[in-house]
């Protein structure tokens, strides 16, 4: 019994010695997102997938700033290239928009070069500003969203994610061989502390939300170059609720478990080690309904008939790395 125990102790000491031999590092980022949404008039009473035409250059704007600090702890298992860069990353973030504020702590673990496992929380609150609801609850009687009590009611989100990543240059070295692939799947639980389950609410201007389990998946294929235009690629995103019955029975025709699909051409410009800019053009699906809303109705009062594609937004993301 003593030999196995001694072996475990020696292994732990050797592993710890390897870890502390590597120096931890830290970084800070300030990210600003600016988004413009064009106007798209819905097409009603279609029973098959269709496209809603653009009917105006401007519908609304979004602005978001996120400050994050990360602390990376190397945990190499050996000198093998697949595991020599293993690390644990602790991340703390603060997100601020004109209508909300949120804290975003998370942790990432990279056990092997092409896999990353992560988990985190988001805790925030919001208010109403120039008619935009940062955080609000839907009232059935009036078919309107009424603001919650800022810093009295809370938005909560917990998530876990697995990510696979691969760079062709890892097996075919060369500055022009960086064909990059990323695929991730995320499970989330989201809750508004001021409402009961199945009630409808709004966060950061996005309405028709409910408490419950959601999924989010992303697939990215890109080509990275040693140029100012660092990468071009395309991203596909998929997200939605798992439970069709997660909304009030009166609104089941709204189709709570509808899966949103998004296709995003992406370009990343890297000016230097501190400054980069991402341009994203977003095409998305949304619910198509049987008719237009009445004066005292919301989308949840309507009946889903088909999937509708539309040109959702143009987004710019500026990142400053300290």
């Amino acid at each position: 019994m003593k030999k196995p125990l001694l072996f475990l102790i020696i292994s732990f000491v050797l592993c710890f010695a390897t870890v502390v031999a590597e120096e931890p590092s830290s970084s800070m980022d300030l990210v600003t997102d600016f988004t413009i949404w064009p106007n798209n008039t819905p097409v009603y009473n279609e029973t098959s997938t269709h496209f809603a035409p653009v009917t105006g250059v401007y519908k609304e704007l979004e602005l978001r700033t996120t400050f994050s600090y990360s602390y990376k702890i190397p945990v190499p298992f050996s000198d093998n290239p697949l595991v020599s860069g293993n690390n644990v990353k602790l991340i703390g973030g603060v997100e601020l928009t004109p209508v909300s504020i949120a804290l975003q702590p998370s942790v990432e673990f990279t056990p092997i070069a092409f896999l990353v496992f992560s988990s985190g929380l988001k805790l925030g609150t919001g208010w109403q500003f120039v008619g935009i609801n940062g955080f609000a609850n839907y009232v059935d009687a009036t078919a309107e969203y009424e603001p919650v009590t800022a810093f009295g009611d809370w938005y909560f989100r917990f998530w876990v994610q697995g990510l696979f990543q691969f760079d062709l240059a890892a097996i075919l070295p060369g500055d022009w061989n960086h064909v990059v692939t990323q695929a991730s799947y995320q499970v989330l639980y989201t809750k508004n502390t001021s409402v009961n389950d199945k009630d409808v609410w709004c966060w950061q201007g996005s309405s028709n939300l409910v408490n419950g389990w959601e999924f989010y998946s992303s697939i990215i294929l890109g080509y990275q170059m040693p140029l100012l235009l660092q990468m071009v690629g395309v991203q596909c995103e998929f997200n939605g609720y798992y439970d069709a019955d997660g909304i009030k029975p009166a609104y089941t025709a709204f189709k709570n478990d509808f899966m949103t699909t998004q296709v995003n051409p992406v370009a990343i410009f890297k000016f230097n080690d501190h400054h980069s800019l991402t341009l994203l053009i977003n095409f998305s699906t949304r619910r198509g309904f049987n008719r237009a809303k009445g004066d005292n109705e919301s989308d949840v009062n309507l009946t889903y008939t088909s999937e509708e594609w539309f040109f959702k937004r143009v987004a710019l993301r500026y990142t400053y790395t300290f």
Side-chain angles (χ1 to χ4, degrees), residues 167-179 223-226:
D167 185 351
L168 182 63
I171 56 176
L172 295 175
D175 289 342
W176 295 93
N177 295 340
H178 289 280
V179 179
Y223 181 58
Q224 189 171 315
M225 301 165 287

Side-chain angles (χ1 to χ4, degrees), residues 26-31 66-68 273-275 319-322:
S26 63
S27 63
M28 293 185 292
D29 293 307
L30 184 65
V31 178
T66 305
F67 173 79
S68 63
D273 290 340
H274 297 287
H275 303 273
T319 302
Y320 178 76
T321 301
F322 294 85

Side-chain angles (χ1 to χ4, degrees), residues 107-125:
V107 58
E108 293 181 359
F109 174 49
T110 305
I112 196 166
F114 52 80
L115 287 177
V116 181
F117 298 103
S118 56
S119 181
L121 303 172
K122 184 173 184 177
L123 180 65
T125 191

Side-chain angles (χ1 to χ4, degrees), residues 9-264:
I9 293 174
I10 293 174
S11 299
F12 175 79
V13 171
L14 291 174
C15 181
F16 181 75
T18 302
V19 171
V20 297
E22 300 285 338
E23 288 293 329
S25 60
S26 63
S27 63
M28 293 185 292
D29 293 307
L30 184 65
V31 178
T32 301
D33 294 299
F34 175 79
T35 304
I36 182 168
W37 294 52
N39 193 46
N40 309 86
T41 301
V43 179
Y44 297 108
N45 205 28
E46 286 282 345
T47 56
S48 59
T49 302
H50 57 279
F51 190 85
V54 175
T55 53
V57 176
Y58 169 76
K59 179 182 179 183
E60 60 186 63
L61 297 174
E62 281 187 10
L63 181 64
R64 176 184 293 107
T65 297
T66 305
F67 173 79
S68 63
Y69 173 84
S70 63
Y71 185 74
K72 185 169 71 174
I73 306 169
V75 286
F77 296 154
S78 73
D79 293 331
N80 188 302
L82 283 177
V83 294
S84 61
N86 293 357
N87 64 82
V88 173
K89 188 180 291 185
L90 307 176
I91 304 169
V94 179
E95 177 191 85
L96 181 65
T97 77
V99 293
S100 66
I101 187 171
L103 301 177
Q104 301 181 136
S106 62
V107 58
E108 293 181 359
F109 174 49
T110 305
I112 196 166
F114 52 80
L115 287 177
V116 181
F117 298 103
S118 56
S119 181
L121 303 172
K122 184 173 184 177
L123 180 65
T125 191
W127 48 87
Q128 189 179 71
F129 178 68
V130 295
I132 301 173
N133 284 314
F135 198 20
N137 298 332
Y138 183 69
V139 178
D140 294 322
T142 60
E144 294 180 351
Y145 286 90
E146 294 188 358
V148 303
T149 304
F151 300 98
D153 299 313
W154 299 94
Y155 170 93
F156 171 81
R157 169 169 282 190
F158 166 76
W159 57 268
V160 292
Q161 175 179 276
L163 179 145
F164 168 83
Q165 56 187 4
F166 178 73
D167 185 351
L168 182 63
I171 56 176
L172 295 175
D175 289 342
W176 295 93
N177 295 340
H178 289 280
V179 179
V180 181
T181 303
Q182 278 192 352
S184 65
Y185 190 85
Q186 190 175 100
V187 178
L188 316 93
Y189 178 76
T190 308
K191 183 176 180 62
N192 173 349
T193 62
S194 68
V195 299
N196 297 319
D197 289 348
K198 300 192 176 185
D199 284 345
V200 180
W201 47 277
C202 166
W203 171 253
Q204 292 180 345
S206 296
S207 55
N208 310 323
L209 306 177
V210 294
N211 295 345
W213 290 96
E214 304 172 56
F215 65 89
Y216 170 80
S217 180
S218 172
I219 301 172
I220 300 173
L221 178 63
Y223 181 58
Q224 189 171 315
M225 301 165 287
L227 302 173
L228 172 64
L229 177 57
Q230 184 190 45
M231 193 185 85
V232 292
V234 63
Q235 178 187 31
C236 295
E237 299 175 278
F238 311 90
N239 65 281
Y241 289 97
Y242 287 106
D243 189 3
D245 298 323
I247 200 167
K248 287 183 177 180
Y251 305 136
T252 54
F254 172 74
K255 191 173 173 59
N256 187 62
D257 62 343
F258 175 80
M259 183 181 74
T260 299
T261 302
Q262 302 183 74
V263 178
N264 314 318

